[in-house]
Amino acid sequence: MPTTAADTDEELLSRAVGELVLRTGLPVAFGGFERANAVEVTSIVGSRTPYLSGLVVHAERGLGGRALVERRPRLALDYRSSRNITHDYDRAVLGEGISTLFAVPVMVRGAARGVLYCGSWSQSPIGDLVTRPAFAVAGELGTELHV
């Protein structure tokens, strides 16, 4: 992700979300920064509906809220039936038709600064071919934000 000193945080986020789709091969990606103990989704690539636009995910709620608070990736292979998350955001996520969803926190100096998500409309196995590039994109974004 080549960047310039003039890149804003939102531009960096937008680029990272695009990179998630390219590197993981999953069709939809989105993300946002933490503000007031919540993550507002401000960048989306590959969506088919408007449901994810402006979504605000509160800490500890949903998959991304858990990733934010726990500062570690979270996965729902079958989002609809997952018992490991709250389902506060079903309208947005299921409205988009997402079945498998992976959330990775963006870490800056040990703190979760945001969350990146990637997913698919069908159940998809998530292995090294998805996790490694997603970790790399989140790590690169964290490094750029630190600088």
Side-chain angles (χ1 to χ4, degrees), residues 25-41:
L26 294 177
V28 64
F30 52 102
F33 291 118
E34 187 274 335
R35 292 182 182 97
N37 219 22
V39 172
E40 180 181 357
V41 173

Side-chain angles (χ1 to χ4, degrees), residues 55-77:
L55 179 66
V56 177
V57 177
H58 296 278
E60 297 184 13
R61 310 305 297 171
L63 193 69
R66 284 192 63 195
L68 181 73
V69 170
E70 295 174 6
R71 296 182 315 211
R72 65 184 184 110
R74 303 300 306 162
L75 171 66
L77 286 173

Side-chain angles (χ1 to χ4, degrees), residues 3 11 41 64 66 70 90 98-99 112 118 141 144 147:
T3 62
E11 289 168 332
V41 173
R66 284 192 63 195
E70 295 174 6
D90 283 5
I98 292 173
S99 180
C118 53
L141 178 56
E144 290 297 324
V147 172

Side-chain angles (χ1 to χ4, degrees), residues 84-99:
N84 298 319
I85 59 170
T86 67
H87 284 272
D88 299 22
Y89 309 106
D90 283 5
R91 183 170 183 266
V93 175
L94 298 176
E96 173 58 34
I98 292 173
S99 180

Side-chain angles (χ1 to χ4, degrees), residues 3-86:
T3 62
T4 69
D7 287 331
T8 67
D9 290 357
E10 286 297 329
E11 289 168 332
L12 293 170
L13 174 67
S14 180
R15 193 172 302 123
V17 169
E19 285 292 316
L20 271 178
V21 169
L22 291 173
R23 294 192 204 178
T24 66
L26 294 177
V28 64
F30 52 102
F33 291 118
E34 187 274 335
R35 292 182 182 97
N37 219 22
V39 172
E40 180 181 357
V41 173
T42 56
S43 183
I44 304 166
V45 171
S47 66
R48 303 185 291 193
T49 71
Y51 288 108
L52 298 172
S53 183
L55 179 66
V56 177
V57 177
H58 296 278
E60 297 184 13
R61 310 305 297 171
L63 193 69
R66 284 192 63 195
L68 181 73
V69 170
E70 295 174 6
R71 296 182 315 211
R72 65 184 184 110
R74 303 300 306 162
L75 171 66
L77 286 173
D78 181 2
Y79 182 92
R80 180 181 302 277
S81 66
S82 177
R83 295 181 182 193
N84 298 319
I85 59 170
T86 67

